Amino acid sequence: QVQLVESGGGLVEPGGSLRLSCATSKSIFSRYAMGWYRQAPGKQRELVATINNGGTTNYADSGKDRFTLSRDNAKNAVYLQMNNLKPEDTAVYYCDAYLSWGNLRNDFWGQGTQVTVSS
């Protein structure tokens, strides 16, 4: 059974920072790209950022210049550094491991971690 173990969520004031972590098995991490999505109450899940095996990152406009996604191949983990957080960043953040080939895609999801930005 594939597991994605997330950590790092919490309550932070506007302008603050958080770092989310997501760890998985070596067999998944070596083959799958990784990403973070978020879902706010009453809204659809949306992309935050992705990183492929080569380290190439892609960010949603909402997080550009504030969020940085990185991967540690030795620890089979990815890290989402979030700076200058805003109340609109409040959501449950989900780690995603995905593999795409042709029109097919396979995803594994973490359990989610709550991020609340509030004064």
Side-chain angles (χ1 to χ4, degrees), residues 23-42:
T24 188
S25 66
K26 183 176 181 178
S27 65
I28 291 296
F29 195 78
S30 63
R31 295 182 294 128
Y32 282 59
M34 304 290 291
W36 285 93
Y37 287 72
R38 68 186 184 186
Q39 188 167 18

Side-chain angles (χ1 to χ4, degrees), residues 61-101:
D61 288 343
S62 59
K64 282 183 179 177
D65 301 324
R66 299 188 299 127
F67 296 174
T68 302
L69 181 58
S70 60
R71 59 188 293 146
D72 185 333
N73 293 332
K75 295 184 178 181
N76 303 318
V78 294
Y79 305 98
L80 181 67
Q81 178 66 44
M82 304 186 293
N83 299 325
N84 190 23
L85 282 161
K86 305 175 181 180
E88 52 263 42
D89 294 317
T90 296
V92 178
Y93 284 67
Y94 295 92
C95 181
D96 172 42
Y98 66 95
L99 184 64
S100 298
W101 65 103

